[in-house]
Amino acid sequence: MYVAVKGGERAIENAHRLLDEERRGDPEIPEVTLDQIAGQLGLAVDRVMTEGSLHDRELAALAIKQARGDLIEAIFLLRAYRTTLPRFGYAEPIETADMSIQRRISATYKDLPGGQVLGPTFDYTHRLLDFQLAADGGTHPEPAAEAEPSDAPVPRVVDILNHEGLIEEERPEPAEASVGDLTRDPLTFPAGRDLRLQNLARGDEGFLLALGYSTQRGYGRTHPFAGEIRLGDVTVEFEPEELGFPVEIGEIAVTECQMINQFQGSAEVPPQFSRGYGLTFGHCERKAMAMALVDRSLRCREFGEEAGSPAQDEEFVLSHSDNVQSTGFVEHLKLPHYVDFQSELELVRKMRAAIDTPMKSAAE
Amino acid sequence: MQPADRTSERRAWMGELAKASCDDLETAWNALPEKPDWQWLRKPETGLVMVRGRAGGTGGAFNLGEMTVTRCALTIDAGTTGYGYVAGRNARHAELAAVFDALLQSPHGPDLKKTLLEPLAETRSKTERRKQAKAAATRVEFFTMVRGED
């Protein structure tokens, strides 16, 4: 069936103009700047960088502004932008043990080398709206307190447990060249831990949060403890081909979560703790924790655990974690489906006619 | 100096130039008594580097996400090649990093280490120390309540 598809151009153009006007809002009110977004809505920027899978604060701030604060739309914009740039190569893996610590807490040890450093956290706030922030004259918070920093090393909590041999060890793979990359090759199943972690790192925070929560409520229990959460700057090293040696190209902030989970042991392995891992750009603590929970859940086969819950179903989790893919398929339902719908309409009419005809003849 | 030492020295200063702010490099450039001419080998170009982590911090590598990086290469009049590889999209930052990389390999190198690298390292360590001091103030000091006389 022929369906006229012309005629929408002017409406679309005007819709975009209306969008621009709505984005700007009341022209009497100063326009928000990228510096303001990057500086004052920093956690939104961190989330967009993490799930947009591109570390660039300024671009993430621009995406948030353009998307009118719709973070999934902003993530979409960042993902689209990255396709316009050439890939120079792969960095050396970051060394989170050498992190310049801004926050580091452990729920498994009270006293530990390096201590519990709370950093800039919402924890222990009362979650009461602060009307001082609503004041027109701007806020001038008291300067943050300072104390003599310690130069003592801040070892990973899991490494402390490791000395006792009570937790599984994480060792590098022998062939690092073959690390899977979802941006190059489509995902296939079963997926290795490298691909799972990459998928989870760029996965939707809400989706992973719900899955992580489901494991706590009994859908595939993993008995987790937050062994350690750390936030801070790490150096990124990259080896340009023409130089033949790695150079530091900059520093980025990351959040790391090490979950410690129970493991009963098996015929080959004595009882010991197992691990789940979460890593994000910037300060995305909830995401890092949820990622670590789901990472551990997806390792159920490795530990010979019964796997019947959603968070243990690799294909289900990894196929639905990406919010750009999800939004694309859900939102495509808005696009014209006139022809499809016409054929469905014809079908339903025919079916109704088939039912109505015998009923009529029976009544006569 | 052994070639290995030269490489590790160059690695250190390239890292310092990448981590410095573009403004600080610009100030240092403006303060140079004589500025060299240079020819581009590769004009500044912005691209992506894939950042990697390790499972559990020490295990198998995985791809975390990309970051923007700007690079360029040039030769200064003496024929020395300089490279700039810096995080972000600032072409001027990459350009100045490359010029200084070349100059640091030239006979001007020893002077520049004092006038450029040492102040840059000092600025960075001051900023870092300040951040560390603020974090240190949020370290929990546990104490135990003792009740009773004995």
Side-chain angles (χ1 to χ4, degrees):
Chain A
M1 189 187 301
Y2 178 76
V3 177
V5 291
K6 284 191 151 192
E9 292 93 339
R10 172 163 298 175
I12 290 171
E13 201 187 305
N14 288 341
H16 290 169
R17 280 172 59 179
L18 180 58
L19 170 68
D20 290 342
E21 191 179 288
E22 289 285 320
R23 175 189 299 115
R24 177 59 184 86
D26 183 350
E28 297 296 313
I29 292 172
E31 189 171 342
V32 69
T33 67
L34 299 193
D35 283 343
Q36 287 170 347
I37 295 172
Q40 297 173 46
L41 299 176
L43 299 186
V45 168
D46 289 343
R47 179 170 179 190
V48 169
M49 291 197 304
T50 295
E51 293 172 34
S53 210
L54 179 63
H55 191 286
D56 189 310
R57 297 197 73 77
E58 197 180 81
L59 287 179
L62 172 60
I64 290 167
K65 177 172 177 175
Q66 187 178 333
R68 305 175 62 197
D70 178 338
L71 297 190
I72 292 183
E73 182 72 19
I75 289 159
F76 196 162
L77 289 171
L78 221 51
R79 293 267 188 99
Y81 175 80
R82 72 159 282 282
T83 64
T84 65
L85 295 178
R87 167 80 71 79
F88 293 163
Y90 294 89
E92 308 291 314
I94 53 173
E95 187 46 84
T96 52
D98 296 343
M99 180 185 284
S100 162
I101 301 278
Q102 282 301 297
R103 168 169 167 78
R104 186 271 199 134
I105 54 162
S106 169
T108 52
Y109 291 103
K110 179 165 72 75
D111 296 304
L112 72 170
Q116 307 261 2
V117 179
L118 302 181
T121 180
F122 292 124
D123 299 349
Y124 320 109
T125 62
H126 293 105
R127 266 72 183 215
L128 297 173
L129 277 177
D130 178 359
F131 288 97
Q132 282 185 354
L133 293 174
D136 263 351
T139 51
H140 303 280
E142 257 187 90
E146 296 187 21
E148 190 56 33
S150 132
D151 292 320
V154 187
R156 294 191 191 93
V157 168
V158 283
D159 295 342
I160 299 171
L161 263 179
N162 212 0
H163 291 313
E164 284 189 73
L166 294 180
I167 191 164
E168 61 163 328
E169 258 190 274
E170 297 270 21
R171 291 201 194 86
E173 299 288 329
E176 300 251 287
S178 61
V179 177
D181 186 352
L182 294 175
T183 67
R184 290 294 153 99
D185 302 301
L187 189 61
T188 54
F189 301 102
R193 189 146 178 232
D194 51 347
L195 287 170
R196 296 201 304 254
L197 286 170
Q198 183 181 10
N199 176 289
L200 298 177
R202 50 199 265 140
D204 183 72
E205 178 173 315
F207 180 72
L208 298 185
L209 178 66
L211 282 174
Y213 180 42
S214 74
T215 68
Q216 291 181 284
R217 292 194 63 253
Y219 292 87
R221 269 189 207 288
T222 58
H223 306 277
F225 291 94
E228 182 176 337
I229 294 162
R230 54 169 67 196
L231 156 73
D233 292 339
V234 293
T235 303
V236 181
E237 277 196 307
F238 172 66
E239 183 172 326
E241 256 176 51
E242 62 272 34
L243 280 176
F245 55 85
V247 291
E248 296 175 355
I249 54 175
E251 285 176 312
I252 59 171
V254 297
T255 305
E256 179 185 59
C257 173
Q258 304 264 8
M259 283 292 177
I260 297 176
N261 308 71
Q262 235 177 46
F263 172 49
Q264 305 294 343
S266 64
E268 296 88 42
V269 186
Q272 62 175 354
F273 290 106
S274 59
R275 303 161 62 158
Y277 189 65
L279 186 66
T280 73
F281 287 143
H283 191 184
C284 297
E285 195 161 302
R286 188 187 302 115
K287 164 67 184 276
M289 293 180 76
M291 175 177 169
L293 286 175
V294 177
D295 171 45
R296 175 59 185 80
S297 290
L298 291 177
R299 298 179 63 200
C300 54
R301 271 164 219 84
E302 215 179 301
F303 295 109
E305 293 162 347
E306 201 181 323
S309 298
Q312 297 168 319
D313 185 333
E314 173 179 293
E315 193 164 341
F316 176 78
V317 173
L318 302 184
S319 304
H320 301 110
S321 60
D322 191 297
N323 54 27
V324 176
Q325 273 173 17
S326 305
T327 204
F329 204 50
V330 168
E331 293 203 49
H332 106 283
L333 292 172
K334 293 184 289 193
L335 296 176
H337 284 69
Y338 307 140
V339 177
D340 294 348
F341 187 69
Q342 282 299 323
S343 73
E344 295 270 317
L345 197 59
E346 285 300 309
L347 187 64
V348 173
R349 279 185 185 135
K350 267 188 204 151
M351 285 156 63
R352 284 289 286 270
I355 296 170
D356 288 351
T357 317
M359 281 167 69
K360 269 182 199 158
S361 33
E364 279 163 11
Chain B
M1 198 186 276
Q2 296 295 309
D5 294 338
R6 267 205 295 275
T7 299
S8 80
E9 206 187 11
R10 188 165 175 212
R11 275 180 68 175
W13 80 51
M14 286 185 75
E16 204 61 68
L17 294 168
K19 289 187 282 189
S21 79
C22 186
D23 286 347
D24 286 349
L25 294 185
E26 197 75 69
T27 309
W29 171 252
N30 289 331
L32 280 186
E34 48 181 313
K35 298 181 176 57
D37 287 329
W38 74 74
Q39 287 80 46
W40 288 117
L41 292 176
R42 175 157 60 204
K43 287 191 174 175
E45 169 194 27
T46 296
L48 302 168
V49 164
M50 178 60 93
V51 181
R52 285 183 163 170
R54 289 190 181 281
T58 50
F62 69 95
N63 293 309
L64 172 63
E66 290 159 317
M67 65 191 283
T68 51
V69 174
T70 303
R71 69 178 176 190
C72 67
L74 46 79
T75 54
I76 55 171
D77 38 21
T80 315
T81 305
Y83 290 94
Y85 269 87
V86 303
R89 289 168 299 117
N90 189 335
R92 181 66 177 160
H93 188 175
E95 180 179 329
L96 288 171
V99 179
F100 282 123
D101 176 41
L103 282 174
L104 280 158
Q105 298 169 69
S106 76
H108 300 287
D111 283 346
L112 268 179
K113 278 174 206 161
K114 284 208 172 56
T115 57
L116 173 72
L117 291 181
E118 283 176 19
L120 285 182
E122 200 179 320
T123 307
R124 203 163 58 80
S125 102
K126 256 190 204 156
T127 315
E128 172 64 23
R129 195 84 186 160
R130 192 87 199 280
K131 258 179 123 171
Q132 288 295 316
K134 289 181 186 179
T138 69
R139 187 187 311 273
V140 182
E141 305 291 347
F142 289 104
F143 58 91
T144 312
M145 301 286 280
V146 181
R147 297 210 285 186
E149 294 293 310
D150 300 306

